[in-house]
Amino acid sequence: MSDALIFRREGNLAWIGFNRPESRNAMTWEMYDALEACCDRLNEDDDVQAVVLHGVGGEAFVAGTDISQFAHFNTPDDAIGYERRIDRVVGKLERLAKPTIALIEGACVGGGAALALVCDFRYCTPSMKFGVPIARTLGNTLSMTNVSRMVDMIGVARTKEALMMAKLFDAEEARQTGLVNGVFAPETIVEEVTAIAAEFGRRAPLTVQASKALVGRVLEARRAAADAGDDWVTTCYMSDDFQAAVNKFLHKTPFEWTGR
């Protein structure tokens, strides 16, 4: 794989670790490519019964995409190409023919939230903060597909809170809404999730696969075409606000939102 994305096998379980703790595991292009390759590899491995995704370091699952990679976005194709790339990688994880579990500690935001949303199960520690606070940070937007996923998971009202108000949901709110399946103490979550993942070895494999595939078909049938939101992707990513927000992050320069 890559130094920034760690793959390991423990018996019939596969573990995928996002390994940039100094950057709260923010995703680089290399990490997205490695994750996509990892999904391809796992689909060919009949011995793997479940997959656990986690962040290294205990401070974050994934804190979005590394913002430095947006510094050279100059054309609509840059913006649309990026969102298509995210849709492709996240979609491949969503369609992985194995049960997937997100083990979430700390920040799970932006691209990290998109990855966690498509896992079949999510378990977290009390330190989790989940959301897409781009209305406060970058001024960009999610793709239509990822907005649809969020609506499917947490409903219209909470999706608007997450995207329009830049709300971050804590562990208890996430548990109450069904966003996470359980909350565990940091010292026991690995053991707990390992035990849950091992349960799939005692379930009917074809029933598990069929259930995941059929739920996926139901959700896909309800989603709009991926390009239905391209007008807003272009508007946001090509805006003065987005360029200023990226510059602020990279060079610590002040700016104010202009709506342009």
Side-chain angles (χ1 to χ4, degrees):
M1 291 292 99
S2 105
D3 290 341
L5 191 136
I6 302 170
F7 176 87
R8 74 181 192 276
R9 283 276 301 273
E10 292 182 359
N12 296 116
L13 303 183
W15 292 74
I16 299 174
F18 303 106
N19 186 34
R20 293 184 72 220
E22 72 286 355
S23 300
R24 299 203 303 166
N25 302 322
M27 296 287 284
T28 62
W29 302 147
E30 179 187 29
M31 291 169 72
Y32 281 120
D33 290 345
L35 178 58
E36 190 173 13
C38 211
C39 290
D40 290 337
R41 172 180 174 178
L42 285 165
N43 273 328
E44 298 298 320
D45 191 337
D46 294 334
D47 293 329
V48 171
Q49 295 170 340
V51 182
V52 180
L53 295 89
H54 66 100
V56 173
E59 297 298 319
F61 177 72
V62 168
T65 298
D66 190 314
I67 293 174
S68 67
Q69 299 184 135
F70 295 134
H72 303 295
F73 275 31
N74 298 312
T75 70
D77 286 345
D78 292 328
I80 292 170
Y82 166 70
E83 290 297 338
R84 289 285 191 278
R85 183 179 199 162
I86 299 303
D87 283 346
R88 187 185 72 240
V89 176
V90 173
K92 187 160 285 191
L93 176 61
E94 183 177 41
R95 292 187 297 274
L96 183 62
K98 315 280 183 183
T100 53
I101 299 173
L103 188 164
I104 305 169
E105 300 174 276
C108 181
V109 298
L115 292 170
L117 279 174
V118 299
C119 290
D120 299 310
F121 306 92
R122 284 156 297 283
Y123 298 93
C124 72
T125 62
S127 67
M128 185 191 77
K129 295 294 182 184
F130 179 96
V132 186
I134 50 180
R136 189 171 64 239
T137 56
L138 286 183
N140 58 331
T141 186
L142 295 182
S143 70
M144 188 78 167
T145 303
N146 277 321
V147 172
S148 296
R149 288 184 176 113
M150 187 169 288
V151 171
D152 286 336
M153 183 61 65
I154 63 176
V156 171
R158 288 190 175 91
T159 296
K160 288 182 177 180
E161 280 190 297
L163 298 181
M164 297 170 68
M165 298 180 67
K167 178 179 173 63
L168 294 177
F169 296 90
D170 62 25
E172 182 56 25
E173 289 174 302
R175 187 191 64 78
Q176 290 176 0
T177 62
L179 175 61
V180 299
N181 300 86
V183 181
F184 298 118
E187 59 269 21
T188 64
I189 189 168
V190 172
E191 179 183 355
E192 297 278 6
V193 168
T194 299
I196 291 166
E199 284 294 312
F200 289 105
R202 294 182 281 276
R203 301 292 183 268
L206 292 179
T207 300
V208 171
Q209 293 171 30
S211 299
K212 176 167 181 169
L214 292 171
V215 170
R217 290 180 190 177
V218 170
L219 294 175
E220 287 181 4
R222 287 160 43 181
R223 290 176 186 155
D227 61 359
D230 282 358
D231 54 342
W232 279 110
V233 168
T234 299
T235 297
C236 290
Y237 279 94
M238 295 298 101
S239 68
D240 293 341
D241 277 347
F242 178 74
Q243 297 297 328
V246 171
N247 190 65
K248 177 191 177 184
F249 176 84
L250 296 177
H251 304 292
K252 312 303 180 188
T253 54
F255 86 106
E256 294 183 1
W257 301 112
T258 66
R260 296 192 298 274

